[in-house]
Amino acid sequence: MAELPKQARVVIIGGGAVGASGLYHLAKAGWTDCVLLEKNELTAGSTWHAAGNVPTFSSSWSIMNMQRYSAQLYRGLGQEVGYPMNYHVTGSVRLGHSAERLLEFKRVQGMGRYQGMDLEIMSPDEIRSKYPFVETHDLAGALYDPYDGDIDPAQLTQAFAKGARDMGAHIERFCPVTAAEWTGSEWVLSTPKGEIRCEYVVNAGGYYAAEIGRMFGRRVPMMVMSHQYLLFDTVPELEAWSKEVGHKLPLLRDVDSSYYLRQEKMGFNLGPYENPCRAHWATPDDPMPDDFSFQLFPDDLERIEWHISDAMARVPLLEKANLQKVINGPIPYTPDGNPLIGPMPGVPNAFEACVFTFGICQAGGAGKVLAEWVTEGATEWDMWSCDPRRFTGFEDHDYCVAKGKEVYGHEYAMHFPHHAWPEGRGKKLSPVHDSVAALGAQFGPFNGWERALWYAAEGDDTSEAAQQTWRREGPWFRAVQAECQAVRDACGILDLPGFSRFVVTGPGVVDWLSAQITGKVPAVGRLGLAYFADDKGRIVTEMSVARMAEDKVMLITAATAQSHDKAWLLANLAPGLELKDQTEAWTTQILTGPKAREVLAAAGAEADLSRPWLTWQEAKIAGADVLLMRVSFAGELGWEVHSRIADTPAIWQAVMAAGAPLGLRPFGMFALNSLRIEKGYRAWKGDLSTDYTVLQGGLERFVDWAKPAFRGKQALEAEKQAGVSKQFVTLKVEAGAFDPPYMSTLWHDGQVVGETTSGYWGHRVGHCLALGMLRADLAVPGTTLEVEIFGERVAAEVLPDAPAWDAPNARLRA
């Protein structure tokens, strides 16, 4: 065996399926000078005891992409690398007990079709044609996925390892990393076998990822769950059936009862996701051991007794099986259940590919994504759903445990558009939170900040159960309508804590910023929208830019974008410039509507309220200093009122008191979503993402072609010359009872021609609107299309390339 190399381009720490896939994909990309270090044997950790299911199903577009890629890769991987693998493509039957569940299935069916997968919705009578042993009397239907299956996790890992070694990569087993040091140009990793230096390092440590992260000064947001599955011995009837038909049963998932049931040889594998559930290594009396490589937790069958009974009632054949073995092992969870793949926040030349709850089905796609991050600095698919920077540091231990248990206990839950999960709440509160709550606010978290979603009146159903519907109309609908009408006819105020704000100062700041954005930097006293593109011309982010002085700019961006956008700015910051994160020091209210000027005047605002749209000024309200920015995401006359935390309660009270006689009404995020879609304003990581270029996003008016250079200019010039393939559009949708979800497919003459990126009811225009991306030749006003909403195609019309509400922006400029 060769000695540990002294130098490598990339070192991956962790030898599970994900780490091995990362090494394989790096080598495939031509980066063969890479090393994987594993503290024990390959597959030690979650990989060795994983059940090995390989579904493609996901309600997330990016994760479906990742899992689809894995399933396709695994079909030919063994032959490609010369390593035999047990990979059974059995298909799966996903049972639905309710009409709401069938709607979820239809939505995923549409997404799958767009990605080239033919999923099938089955009636209760059809289910037995795929799974003859199941009871169907109480079912609403099922989703059949022919691409689902199972694979041997150890063989998969070894196949990746062999492929990587054959291309020249190196794997060192029984070689834990004990320390890491950044020299300013490279990493020095200490191991019992000596030091290894590398340009890049990857944490692929599975449920040990937090311990590895500490060596890099990184607190990984994660916890560890105990997950059990049961292996049952041969069932003669199942054996006879399998031999007769020549294949295994499809994997059965009873998602409303929260378990899967898989044929294992001629017996069964039953895996429940129970609630209440159990976290491990979460308390001082249960510390994580130094090594838990090939160990298991003690059986705890009482916890899953109900699921066992329910599965036996659903598939009576299971009652005839003898329990052979119980696997109870650790599985890591992030607070939202998605893995961490991408740049390690705040750490140079470091990446994460860890905390995979479903690491076997995602390993192939994760390796591809990781290799793209490392070798290209960007990924083919927008992977914000897995980007480590989606967490911003407030996620402490207790939060991670509470959210991890919530996700595990609702592993198969439907994610309804108006539902806010209850665990881990109240982490960040506005300085006027109590005042807002007293007005009936129903809250939802945004990067930990509690924001009002809508305001309930006495008698409104504010229960969690009432939120669990796909339908547009719930207890919030009339309230949101009234909030939007107040903004239209009088004035509304939205408490908006958590805006991310960065102040950049220094000589040459304007020239620096001009090279980073596609458009112009505003003049002193002005503000505007700025779009940041990558080298391929794709949309990285959107920020508001306020020019504070000749050598000072303030950049304001979404709450959830705090870590992402700060990292982008710091990575590209010119020497001599200074960036300060002022997010925690300030907060914001949006005051908007035709009477907004009267409200500010009545509140005694010491300001020039005649200053035009897209200007800012220093002012006073209730004796406190504020920044008034003449801009409104709602598309009406309005200002953003930026105030320091301590001053905000007095300002809020003054504005509310002054506005009461003028019809001022508080509004929430649901209303803002309706108002912004009517104006065609894009939302970050929905309408704005690296899945689209700046030109596809309909943002050419924010491109200054006269500038000698800006990031992405060459790619955008080439695209402009060739013509865009997709074009941003606003659609009027005859939507019935449901608004179109993200990534609803657009149809024309029987072909899929695009997708929605946002959809909501426009309360000012009185109909449903969708924003989306459409094949460029069809992006003509008046073109009629169909939008697939939960399996039904409904009529839609392309609207003119202007806001659906107040197209000339007369109200905004008033």
Side-chain angles (χ1 to χ4, degrees):
M1 178 71 71
E3 291 185 358
L4 177 69
K6 302 299 182 184
Q7 190 81 31
R9 198 170 189 184
V10 183
V11 169
I12 296 175
I13 305 172
V18 172
S21 174
L23 190 71
Y24 167 82
H25 281 87
L26 283 168
K28 287 273 284 187
W31 286 39
T32 57
D33 182 16
C34 298
V35 173
L36 184 150
L37 303 179
E38 165 54 44
K39 68 184 295 185
N40 198 286
E41 179 59 89
L42 291 183
T43 77
S46 295
T47 297
W48 84 268
H49 63 76
N53 298 328
V54 186
T56 61
F57 181 99
S58 178
S59 58
S60 163
W61 179 257
S62 54
I63 289 179
M64 178 181 275
N65 260 321
M66 193 163 64
Q67 294 179 176
R68 171 187 53 79
Y69 173 89
S70 293
Q72 293 172 344
L73 174 68
Y74 297 169
R75 287 174 182 262
L77 181 63
Q79 183 174 359
E80 177 190 333
V81 303
Y83 192 94
M85 292 194 304
N86 290 320
Y87 181 33
H88 309 108
V89 182
T90 61
S92 69
V93 175
R94 192 174 288 254
L95 304 178
H97 292 234
S98 66
E100 298 283 7
R101 183 64 79 175
L102 265 291
L103 290 174
E104 179 197 45
F105 290 171
K106 290 175 181 177
R107 165 165 158 65
V108 172
Q109 181 188 34
M111 291 169 57
R113 185 189 299 111
Y114 201 177
Q115 292 196 14
M117 298 184 294
D118 188 15
L119 311 181
E120 178 185 347
I121 303 291
M122 297 191 295
S123 69
D125 292 338
E126 295 171 322
I127 295 172
R128 284 179 176 267
S129 67
K130 301 293 186 185
Y131 202 109
F133 303 111
V134 67
E135 294 294 321
T136 63
H137 60 281
D138 59 345
L139 299 177
L143 178 72
Y144 178 66
D145 178 354
Y147 309 96
D148 211 324
D150 60 88
I151 197 167
D152 184 302
Q155 292 176 350
L156 173 65
T157 306
Q158 296 293 350
F160 279 135
K162 182 178 186 301
R165 285 190 184 107
D166 288 349
M167 287 183 280
H170 182 91
I171 295 175
E172 193 72 25
R173 301 170 300 143
F174 304 102
C175 188
V177 175
T178 56
E181 179 188 358
W182 174 248
T183 68
S185 59
E186 64 180 358
W187 285 102
V188 181
L189 305 179
S190 300
T191 82
K193 299 183 180 182
E195 288 184 347
I196 179 171
R197 294 172 176 265
C198 59
E199 185 178 354
Y200 300 101
V201 67
V202 178
N203 180 356
Y207 52 71
Y208 275 100
E211 279 59 41
I212 294 170
R214 289 189 189 102
M215 289 188 279
F216 298 89
R218 157 77 165 148
R219 182 163 59 83
V220 179
M222 63 171 292
M223 55 84 69
V224 178
M225 287 300 306
S226 159
H227 175 62
Q228 297 183 95
Y229 64 89
L230 287 66
L231 299 175
F232 294 86
D233 209 348
T234 297
V235 180
E237 292 91 335
L238 178 58
E239 183 176 28
W241 178 87
S242 288
K243 289 180 177 178
E244 179 183 348
V245 300
H247 59 77
K248 294 171 64 175
L249 283 168
L251 192 149
L252 188 76
R253 289 185 181 85
D254 194 334
V255 288
D256 292 306
S257 293
S258 195
Y259 59 81
Y260 66 82
L261 183 67
R262 187 180 92 198
Q263 181 176 341
E264 188 76 19
K265 297 180 180 177
M266 295 302 169
F268 286 105
N269 174 338
L270 173 64
Y273 291 91
E274 73 279 7
N275 189 14
C277 47
R278 180 171 179 185
H280 265 288
W281 309 328
T283 58
D285 61 348
D286 183 24
M288 174 177 276
D290 291 336
D291 189 11
F292 200 80
S293 296
F294 288 100
Q295 297 162 258
L296 294 172
F297 302 128
D299 302 350
D300 191 5
L301 294 182
E302 288 185 9
R303 230 172 58 215
I304 57 174
E305 185 176 349
W306 181 89
H307 296 82
I308 297 171
S309 299
D310 191 78
M312 288 179 172
R314 180 64 58 197
V315 181
L317 201 61
L318 182 60
E319 290 187 278
K320 300 182 179 182
N322 293 319
L323 180 59
Q324 188 178 38
K325 190 174 185 180
V326 178
I327 305 294
N328 185 9
I331 298 182
Y333 272 76
T334 63
D336 63 9
N338 291 346
L340 303 174
I341 320 173
M344 187 184 295
V347 184
N349 288 26
F351 295 84
E352 292 175 336
C354 53
V355 201
F356 281 78
T357 298
F358 298 100
I360 303 307
C361 71
Q362 295 172 357
K368 164 187 158 63
V369 169
L370 173 66
E372 290 168 348
W373 269 124
V374 175
T375 63
E376 301 176 36
T379 55
E380 177 187 356
W381 315 308
D382 190 290
M383 291 302 300
W384 179 243
S385 63
C386 300
D387 194 314
R389 295 168 296 184
R390 71 190 188 275
F391 300 115
T392 58
F394 75 88
E395 305 86 359
D396 58 22
H397 174 77
D398 290 346
Y399 177 89
C400 290
V401 171
K403 294 302 289 184
K405 291 175 69 174
E406 182 178 61
V407 173
Y408 181 94
H410 300 86
E411 191 62 70
Y412 294 127
M414 293 173 275
H415 294 273
F416 297 106
H418 294 93
H419 177 227
W421 291 97
E423 293 293 340
R425 300 294 297 278
K427 296 298 292 184
K428 301 180 185 178
L429 301 181
S430 158
V432 296
H433 177 85
D434 291 346
S435 298
V436 171
L439 297 171
Q442 305 302 302
F443 293 97
F446 295 77
N447 187 26
W449 290 98
E450 296 290 337
R451 292 180 179 172
L453 302 176
W454 62 288
Y455 285 83
E458 187 175 350
D460 285 343
D461 187 352
T462 60
S463 67
E464 187 180 2
Q467 304 169 19
Q468 294 176 335
T469 177
W470 301 110
R471 292 180 172 272
R472 174 187 310 114
E473 297 204 20
W476 54 82
F477 184 79
R478 296 300 172 196
V480 172
Q481 182 181 53
E483 292 167 24
C484 292
Q485 289 171 347
V487 171
R488 179 193 67 190
D489 300 335
C491 192
I493 187 168
L494 171 65
D495 182 44
L496 200 64
F499 260 151
S500 305
R501 67 192 74 220
F502 312 105
V503 175
V504 187
T505 55
V509 67
V510 171
D511 291 339
W512 165 78
L513 183 58
S514 180
Q516 306 307 311
I517 65 176
T518 60
K520 292 181 169 66
V521 178
V524 174
R526 305 286 299 187
L527 55 91
L529 274 181
Y531 290 92
F532 293 72
D534 65 11
D535 292 334
K536 297 179 180 179
R538 303 181 304 176
I539 304 166
V540 172
T541 194
E542 169 199 80
M543 300 189 206
S544 295
V545 179
R547 180 83 173 277
M548 313 302 288
E550 288 298 330
D551 58 357
K552 181 179 180 181
V553 295
M554 177 183 286
L555 305 173
I556 302 174
T557 184
T560 53
Q562 183 179 5
S563 289
H564 176 279
D565 286 5
K566 184 176 181 179
W568 181 268
L569 293 170
L570 288 174
N572 296 292
L573 198 64
L577 300 183
E578 181 184 16
L579 182 147
K580 290 184 178 179
D581 186 343
Q582 297 190 346
T583 302
E584 303 294 332
W586 292 74
T587 190
T588 306
Q589 277 83 46
I590 292 178
L591 184 71
T592 185
K595 295 185 179 180
R597 185 176 282 115
E598 295 176 60
V599 172
L600 281 175
E606 300 175 36
D608 179 1
L609 301 180
S610 66
R611 296 196 65 184
W613 183 47
L614 298 181
T615 61
W616 69 271
Q617 61 183 301
E618 295 177 338
K620 286 184 181 291
I621 300 176
D625 294 330
V626 298
L627 292 177
L628 285 183
M629 296 189 175
R630 177 74 196 279
V631 67
S632 171
F633 201 49
E636 301 283 351
L637 168 68
W639 284 264
E640 291 177 359
V641 182
H642 296 262
S643 56
R644 291 179 177 85
I645 297 296
D647 296 331
T648 302
I651 295 167
W652 171 269
Q653 291 167 12
V655 172
M656 291 295 288
L662 297 169
L664 177 65
R665 179 174 183 144
F667 68 101
M669 299 300 291
F670 291 168
L672 185 64
N673 193 39
S674 171
L675 298 164
R676 67 98 185 168
I677 285 179
E678 289 176 314
K679 293 297 293 181
Y681 294 160
R682 282 70 154 170
W684 192 67
K685 291 307 181 188
D687 315 296
L688 302 170
S689 77
T690 54
D691 284 333
Y692 308 112
T693 69
V694 171
L695 298 185
Q696 289 174 338
L699 301 170
E700 187 172 358
R701 66 186 182 279
F702 296 98
V703 178
D704 180 10
W705 297 109
K707 289 196 299 185
F710 59 84
R711 189 180 304 277
K713 182 180 182 182
Q714 187 174 353
L716 290 171
E717 285 177 332
E719 183 184 21
K720 182 176 175 65
Q721 184 174 1
V724 296
S725 58
K726 286 182 174 182
Q727 185 65 56
F728 177 87
V729 292
T730 301
L731 303 172
K732 179 181 178 181
V733 186
E734 303 300 325
F738 307 97
D739 292 322
Y742 174 67
M743 298 307 291
S744 296
T745 45
L746 304 179
W747 293 79
H748 182 73
D749 286 346
Q751 292 184 318
V752 175
V753 292
E755 67 273 0
T756 65
T757 53
S758 294
Y760 211 68
W761 186 263
H763 287 282
R764 289 178 296 194
V765 299
H767 53 252
C768 180
L769 295 172
L771 310 181
M773 295 291 178
L774 179 62
R775 204 176 72 197
D777 62 299
L778 298 173
V780 178
T783 301
T784 56
L785 307 165
E786 292 177 305
V787 182
E788 183 176 337
I789 304 176
F790 297 113
E792 302 296 325
R793 297 188 204 172
V794 300
E797 178 186 348
V798 178
L799 296 180
D801 185 19
W805 173 254
D806 183 29
N809 287 331
R811 297 169 68 93
L812 195 64
R813 301 172 186 269

